[in-house]
Amino acid sequence: MKAQEDAEKAVDGLRLPGLNNYAPSSVDGALAIGDTGRVTLVAHLTEGGDEIPNGLVWRIFGTQPGPDDKLPLVATARGGNSTLDLAPGSYLVHAAYGRAGVTKRITVGSEPMREDLFLDAGGLKLHAILPGGVRIPQNQLRFSIYEASEGAIGEETLILPDVEPGSIVRLNAGTYHVVAKYGAMNAVIRSDIRVEAGKLTEATVEHRAADLTMKLVREPGGEAIADTAWSVLTDTGEIVYETVSAYAAMVLAEGDYTIIAKNRDRIYQRDFSVVPGRNQDVELLPDDLLDTRTQLPD
């Protein structure tokens, strides 16, 4: 995770345990006993920016590795600003805000102190549409966010999968590789998006795809015939969909395809094209039967 890697560099290579967005809201009670120093922790998106009022997860680590070779977690807190009583000594403070994070080394004494952490982070809000500005149903659209990479596609590190459209994702400033998937087949858009510190970046991608329903019928507009085996191939012969049912419903990217439907020992075939944004029913008829000497079942 990029936030953690940056944090590790900021603390002289010391290795933190794995971090996530969940932690108990309490602080270890033993820390409040005896000689302690009071520390107020404050986080900002950018240097000079406003204090972050809520949504933070604070974790305080000791600086001496434990038996497992990891730094011990000595306190946690959630919310906005946080005030903790810690025994004098050195600590690593990690502030997480969504998927953004920063780590800072502090030294606690007997006097009250305040520590400000600057996340250098912003927000990302993603949308997708069809040609003409047609909105895509939210339940058919998901985004995945990866670290941007100069390597081959597929080598990027996944940061966050299954992001719902319109939700705000908090990230450290930088460039991210975003994959927008419409449906479950081949309607995929990839783009690199820059997140700026202290700002909400909204990005909209346009899918060139359509939602299709295929059925085998005896006559135009007729009832679909059950127990039909379906295969959908691209113009290069790649199989993109297979199922057995009366209907074959899917989202496909713009392009030319071949539908093959098999019912009992009869095979039907039809070529068709997907026009972006034009949802349609595609019917296979007796005329599409490869062997014209047979007929549809009664």
Side-chain angles (χ1 to χ4, degrees):
M1 178 174 164
K2 184 175 185 299
Q4 185 172 339
E5 291 176 356
D6 291 343
E8 290 172 357
K9 293 177 183 177
V11 292
D12 300 328
L14 288 175
R15 181 163 158 261
L16 298 178
L19 300 174
N20 54 45
N21 288 326
Y22 302 94
S25 59
S26 61
V27 176
D28 190 339
L31 295 174
I33 300 175
D35 185 18
T36 61
R38 178 152 293 185
V39 182
T40 299
L41 301 173
V42 182
H44 312 257
L45 288 177
T46 61
E47 191 167 355
D50 294 338
E51 299 174 5
I52 299 174
N54 52 55
L56 290 162
V57 178
W58 296 96
R59 296 177 178 86
I60 316 300
F61 297 90
T63 57
Q64 297 301 316
D68 59 357
D69 199 33
K70 294 182 179 180
L71 301 180
L73 177 65
V74 298
T76 61
R78 298 177 69 92
N81 297 350
S82 184
T83 300
L84 306 174
D85 291 312
L86 300 172
S90 294
Y91 298 90
L92 297 177
V93 178
H94 182 83
Y97 188 51
R99 293 288 168 164
V102 66
T103 300
K104 182 179 182 180
R105 183 193 295 272
I106 66 171
T107 300
V108 177
S110 58
E111 298 295 324
M113 58 184 292
R114 167 175 166 146
E115 290 290 342
D116 289 84
L117 280 74
F118 305 102
L119 279 81
D120 189 31
L124 179 60
K125 191 174 184 179
L126 299 167
H127 307 273
I129 57 173
L130 293 169
V134 177
R135 297 183 66 86
I136 298 173
Q138 287 203 351
N139 63 349
Q140 291 185 284
L141 180 65
R142 285 295 181 270
F143 296 91
S144 295
I145 301 174
Y146 296 79
E147 289 184 1
S149 171
E150 296 181 358
I153 292 176
E155 295 182 356
E156 302 94 344
T157 300
L158 178 64
I159 296 174
L160 192 62
D162 298 325
V163 177
E164 294 185 4
S167 60
I168 297 176
V169 181
R170 303 179 183 102
L171 297 164
N172 287 102
T175 301
Y176 296 88
H177 186 72
V178 175
V179 177
K181 189 167 187 179
Y182 173 27
M185 298 297 110
N186 63 347
V188 175
I189 298 292
R190 296 176 177 270
S191 56
D192 288 338
I193 299 173
R194 174 76 184 176
V195 174
E196 296 187 26
K199 297 181 179 180
L200 175 63
T201 300
E202 292 199 53
T204 300
V205 300
E206 182 180 275
H207 270 286
R208 300 192 62 79
D211 196 347
L212 307 171
T213 299
M214 303 172 185
K215 56 184 179 179
L216 177 64
V217 297
R218 297 181 181 87
E219 59 185 7
E223 291 293 324
I225 298 174
D227 299 324
T228 298
W230 295 92
S231 296
V232 179
L233 292 74
T234 66
D235 57 357
T236 61
E238 177 188 0
I239 297 175
V240 294
Y241 186 82
E242 289 184 308
T243 190
V244 177
S245 64
Y247 296 88
M250 73 209 74
V251 174
L252 291 175
E254 176 184 23
D256 297 323
Y257 297 86
T258 298
I259 310 172
I260 299 174
K262 183 177 181 181
N263 187 275
R264 299 183 185 177
D265 59 347
R266 296 155 188 168
I267 299 175
Y268 307 82
Q269 180 174 310
R270 177 181 171 186
D271 296 332
F272 76 104
S273 297
V274 172
V275 179
R278 185 184 298 174
N279 299 338
Q280 58 179 311
D281 291 340
V282 181
E283 295 180 335
L284 271 71
L285 298 160
D287 290 346
D288 299 312
L289 184 63
L290 291 182
D291 185 355
T292 57
R293 292 172 299 175
T294 62
Q295 300 294 323
L296 284 170
D298 295 331

